[in-house]
Amino acid sequence: MLNAAPILEARELTRSFGGFVAVQNVNLKIKPGTIHALIGPNGAGKSTLFNLLTKFLPPSSGRIFFKDQDITSMAPADIARLRLVRSFQISSVFPHLSARENVRVALQARERETFAFWKSNATLRRFNEEATALLESVGLADRAQAKASELSYGRKRALELATTLALDPEVLLLDEPMAGMGTEDIGRTAALIRSVGKGRTVLMVEHNLGVVADLSDRITVLRRGEIIAEGTYSDVSSDSEVRKAYMGGAHG
């Protein structure tokens, strides 16, 4: 896949807030079928770049392309229909619905049927079967009837991943998937990402460099809104500019 055309691409992407330039002239190519991580110290511009790519922020200048289609001016809901789907850093499930009901809502939204009360029982059963299969894929088959509010933090994030997968993403965009997790949940979630990444493209912002090293095919390192290195974990971890960027600072 290394010589394949990029599935997602940023060209000269810039975002300013008043006089502060958060992202400056970023050129980024995400190859299909890879797990690609965005890393950098605190204040590097990772979240801003991620929000630009997922259309939650408009760029000050530059263009964004998905499969050679210019999506720069498209809304987040429209790019989701193109199967470019974002999962949020903060869990975004419905707490008073069961795990299966949460996934079913996402499946119905994919079909633009949201709450399809008029549909036949056969149609609704189809959603139930798909929902059950998705829960099984993220290790929640035994918690299908549990309310989301009853799940542990790590299991809620797994449920969120199931609702994201219900939208059938071709590119899955993950915003700090390990944030707030303990060691056991991190290991489980990393295994899930590796599993669901098969046959898909994954772009993730992640603080945990151990996870990045373990999962990523390619890594882009930002500092003060600009790319300073890109390559495998071995490439970027031995780069002098990357070492300088992280020296004395928290991973960000």
Side-chain angles (χ1 to χ4, degrees):
M1 286 290 186
L2 289 180
N3 296 319
I7 191 166
L8 181 64
E9 181 178 5
R11 298 181 190 170
E12 299 294 318
L13 208 57
T14 296
R15 173 68 195 203
S16 301
F17 298 94
F20 173 66
V21 181
V23 169
Q24 185 166 358
N25 296 325
V26 163
N27 291 291
L28 179 67
K29 295 181 178 181
I30 310 299
K31 295 297 179 70
T34 62
I35 297 178
H36 195 127
L38 288 176
I39 68 170
N42 290 328
K46 305 179 302 297
S47 293
T48 301
L49 178 57
F50 192 83
N51 284 330
L52 290 169
L53 293 172
T54 55
K55 305 315 317 302
F56 282 79
L57 273 177
S60 301
S61 61
R63 314 299 293 174
I64 304 165
F65 293 85
F66 176 56
K67 295 165 67 172
D68 291 327
Q69 178 180 350
D70 190 333
I71 63 168
T72 311
S73 60
M74 292 179 70
D78 294 327
I79 67 165
R81 291 187 190 104
L82 295 177
R83 299 173 66 207
L84 182 67
V85 181
R86 170 180 178 158
S87 179
F88 287 84
Q89 178 183 347
I90 298 169
S91 186
S92 55
V93 296
F94 296 104
H96 300 301
L97 294 182
S98 71
R100 186 164 69 175
E101 285 167 339
N102 265 284
V103 178
R104 194 173 104 168
V105 167
L107 288 166
Q108 290 177 262
R110 182 192 71 193
E111 302 293 331
R112 302 192 193 184
E113 293 171 359
T114 312
F115 288 102
F117 297 113
W118 62 91
K119 291 291 180 181
S120 69
N121 286 335
T123 300
L124 295 179
R125 276 200 301 274
R126 177 175 64 84
F127 285 127
N128 282 339
E129 289 164 8
E130 268 192 274
T132 299
L134 283 164
L135 289 171
E136 192 169 336
S137 75
V138 299
L140 288 177
D142 62 333
R143 304 291 283 154
Q145 302 303 326
K147 285 186 178 179
S149 59
E150 297 169 357
L151 300 175
S152 69
Y153 181 76
R155 294 300 181 95
K156 279 180 186 167
R157 298 304 303 271
L159 175 57
E160 183 196 41
L161 187 57
T163 63
T164 304
L165 293 174
L167 299 176
D168 192 25
E170 189 171 357
V171 177
L172 184 59
L173 301 137
L174 302 175
D175 187 6
E176 298 184 22
M178 310 298 169
M181 288 188 183
T183 304
E184 183 181 342
D185 282 335
I186 285 173
R188 184 186 291 120
T189 304
L192 280 179
I193 292 170
R194 184 182 288 108
S195 175
V196 303
K198 291 173 182 173
R200 291 185 176 90
T201 305
V202 177
L203 174 65
M204 65 178 181
V205 172
E206 181 49 56
H207 284 253
N208 188 315
L209 295 184
V211 168
V212 168
D214 184 41
L215 285 181
S216 303
D217 300 302
R218 195 160 186 83
I219 299 164
T220 298
V221 188
L222 294 174
R223 180 182 61 192
R224 293 194 288 274
E226 298 182 273
I227 293 175
I228 60 168
E230 191 169 272
T232 64
Y233 186 80
S234 176
D235 294 334
V236 301
S237 62
S238 61
D239 186 281
S240 61
E241 287 301 307
V242 174
R243 288 176 175 272
K244 195 185 302 180
Y246 274 101
M247 194 172 294
H251 301 330

